[in-house]
Amino acid sequence: MDIERKILLNPGPATTTDSVKLAQIVPDICPREKDFADLMQGIREDLVKIVHGDLEKYTSVLFCGSGTIAMDVCLNSLLPADKKILIINNGAYSSRAVEICNYYNLPYINLEFEIDALPDLNKIEKTLSENKDIAFVYTTHNETGSGILNPIRKIGELAHKYHTFFVVDTTSTYAMRPINMEEDNIDFCMASAQKGLMAMTGISYVIGNRSIIEQSKEFPKRSYYCNLYMQYEYFEKHGEMHFTPPVQTVYALKQALSEYFKEGEKEKWNRHTRVFEAIHKGLEELGFKDIIKREWQAGLVVTVKYPDDSNWDFNAVHDYCYEHGFTIYPGKIGNQHTFRLCALGAIDADDIEKFFQVMRECLCKLHVKIPVNYNEV
Ligand SMILES: *Cc1c(COP(=O)(O)O)cnc(C)c1O
């Protein structure tokens, strides 16, 4: 089968290998069969191994849905009665966590920082010391909206110092940037198959501390389909999801995991870094500016400012690139006009070089001045 290769520079779903795409074509199977439960069991263990978790202490729980389902599950399932969540918020995805809390009426403190700044650890510590009713601290590892990398190890250390646990949205770092549950002070993290693992959309997972999940059996139940303990218990008893899993997507995930281990954690991260650097090089050659300090960027998402040029037209650039096989993505930060280029997926530096040839052609066609112009200094 010949499948046209498309380069996705959006922040997920990622470009996948053909072997992952084709892994979905399997004989029909009822997911209640033991063969399928065995497949699920292996996947659950592999997901914990990627973040170097001890399988006795940590487990993974899978859900059928996009990445937001894992945020929803953690927030609604892990809060005991009469306790609060402390959200460390410097971007769009932590703001989404705040929205989820609002939908469930969960008590929280929204500790906000500028989108282009790292959170202030002193303020986090002060908030923890003044609020003894915080059950857990929640933040986002790589704020995909801007590309900033948050200092999770230090935030987790503070969370633990004040006897709270630490939940991190690692959706846009997991299986890309190396993560270690223990060393990074993480009690719960999460991701979805279509990002770092370069598998298909439709399956997401929470990786977390088994004993806290077991304690959560007694916590208030706020959702039926999205309850962490309920899904965990079913997996432990029956080896499968409580309700119908996305069968073919699970086969793609299995294939993606085997390709992940074959490429290796370090090699894969090196490849993403090559892609990231190629993105920066291409942008610099055209004169584009990004918004997050380079040393604070997570190495996966670059947020680029629109140039000040009356011929610049993001939609026209998008459409031209799309017609030539490259997908670029709008920005996600307040009122600034930005677009994003991301280093996710089964791509390498040569794909980025080809992309910038197309981008240059497009700017010429639109009569956008090169190097691109910015009015401010
Ligand atoms: C992609 C992403 C999610 C999930 O988004 P979906 O659209 O539900 O897949 C959550 N958190 C972060 C940080 C992400 O990058």
Side-chain angles (χ1 to χ4, degrees):
M1 202 186 290
D2 194 18
I3 309 168
E4 195 184 343
R5 185 156 180 269
K6 298 285 189 187
I7 305 299
L8 302 186
L9 301 176
N10 48 295
T15 299
T16 57
T17 61
D18 286 354
S19 38
V20 165
K21 293 181 189 79
L22 294 173
Q24 297 176 98
I25 302 173
V26 287
D28 293 319
I29 182 171
C30 168
R32 301 302 178 204
E33 289 301 326
K34 183 172 179 306
D35 281 347
F36 197 81
D38 290 346
L39 176 73
M40 280 291 219
Q41 183 56 26
I43 289 175
R44 286 183 70 202
E45 290 179 5
D46 282 349
L47 291 172
V48 179
K49 284 180 197 155
I50 288 179
V51 283
H52 305 279
D54 171 355
L55 289 167
E56 295 278 301
K57 184 167 171 189
Y58 302 99
T59 188
S60 70
V61 184
L62 287 75
F63 289 85
C64 181
S66 80
T68 306
I69 203 172
M71 301 170 65
D72 187 325
V73 164
C74 286
L75 291 161
N76 90 60
S77 308
L78 291 171
L79 186 66
D82 308 320
K83 295 275 195 179
K84 276 189 197 135
I85 303 168
L86 171 59
I87 300 173
I88 314 298
N89 181 357
N90 60 346
Y93 285 91
S94 288
S95 294
R96 186 177 295 177
V98 169
E99 253 178 66
I100 294 171
C101 290
N102 287 337
Y103 270 63
Y104 286 111
N105 271 319
L106 303 175
Y108 63 87
I109 298 171
N110 179 18
L111 192 58
E112 284 186 275
F113 300 95
E114 295 300 318
I115 54 113
D116 56 355
L118 294 177
D120 178 343
L121 296 170
N122 292 324
K123 282 197 184 151
I124 297 174
E125 174 145 24
K126 186 162 180 281
T127 309
L128 280 163
S129 69
E130 288 171 355
N131 294 275
K132 296 296 174 204
D133 55 351
I134 293 169
F136 66 89
V137 177
Y138 179 103
T139 199
T140 309
H141 192 193
N142 167 23
E143 254 302 345
T144 321
S146 65
I148 201 166
L149 182 72
N150 282 320
I152 53 165
R153 191 171 291 191
K154 291 193 183 127
I155 298 172
E157 204 175 293
L158 287 175
H160 291 163
K161 181 171 167 193
Y162 290 88
H163 310 290
T164 70
F165 61 91
F166 187 36
V167 181
V168 191
D169 176 355
T170 52
T171 310
S172 60
T173 43
Y174 178 94
M176 291 179 284
R177 250 192 116 82
I179 294 172
N180 184 304
M181 294 295 282
E182 216 61 55
E183 288 172 9
D184 289 321
N185 299 313
I186 300 172
D187 298 294
F188 289 87
C189 67
M190 63 195 86
S192 86
Q194 84 271 17
K195 293 212 176 171
L197 279 174
M198 316 186 310
M200 296 297 150
T201 50
I203 198 155
S204 298
Y205 33 88
V206 174
I207 297 158
N209 182 300
R210 211 183 264 278
S211 99
I212 301 174
I213 299 176
E214 277 165 13
Q215 288 164 40
S216 77
K217 182 179 183 182
E218 309 304 331
F219 297 174
K221 302 287 179 292
R222 301 162 177 110
S223 169
Y224 180 73
Y225 199 77
C226 295
N227 181 266
L228 183 59
Y229 181 78
M230 194 213 242
Q231 187 83 321
Y232 165 79
E233 187 191 32
Y234 208 86
F235 263 120
E236 292 296 303
K237 285 199 177 131
H238 308 284
E240 48 185 312
M241 281 190 187
H242 198 156
F243 305 109
T244 311
V247 177
Q248 290 71 17
T249 305
V250 173
Y251 283 95
L253 176 57
K254 172 76 193 154
Q255 175 64 23
L257 282 163
S258 86
E259 292 178 16
Y260 173 87
F261 289 111
K262 191 159 171 246
E263 184 172 13
E265 179 183 59
K266 196 160 164 278
E267 274 309 307
K268 186 169 186 289
W269 176 234
N270 288 345
R271 179 170 59 74
H272 290 302
T273 305
R274 277 199 300 279
V275 171
F276 181 71
E277 280 165 5
I279 291 174
H280 273 291
K281 182 167 173 275
L283 287 170
E284 276 154 28
E285 282 169 5
L286 293 172
F288 281 103
K289 290 187 181 169
D290 52 3
I291 64 144
I292 302 293
K293 260 194 211 173
R294 181 76 181 264
E295 66 267 30
W296 290 350
Q297 294 181 21
L300 294 158
V301 176
V302 187
T303 298
V304 189
K305 283 187 194 164
Y306 282 7
D308 297 309
D309 187 318
S310 56
N311 290 329
W312 167 263
D313 175 349
F314 175 76
N315 291 327
V317 176
H318 166 275
D319 294 352
Y320 187 88
C321 295
Y322 182 77
E323 277 159 28
H324 290 79
F326 298 91
T327 301
I328 66 173
Y329 208 65
K332 200 178 185 137
I333 44 168
N335 45 13
Q336 291 195 58
H337 289 302
T338 59
F339 66 98
R340 284 178 287 176
L341 300 177
C342 307
L344 278 66
I347 60 176
D348 212 328
D350 56 337
D351 294 309
I352 301 301
E353 283 153 25
K354 286 180 200 134
F355 162 70
F356 277 106
Q357 287 163 17
V358 170
M359 181 77 159
R360 184 177 282 270
E361 264 164 43
C362 171
L363 296 179
C364 290
K365 226 178 128 251
L366 294 175
H367 305 290
V368 173
K369 194 177 142 283
I370 298 175
V372 296
N373 175 63
Y374 291 96
N375 293 337
E376 89 274 26
V377 263

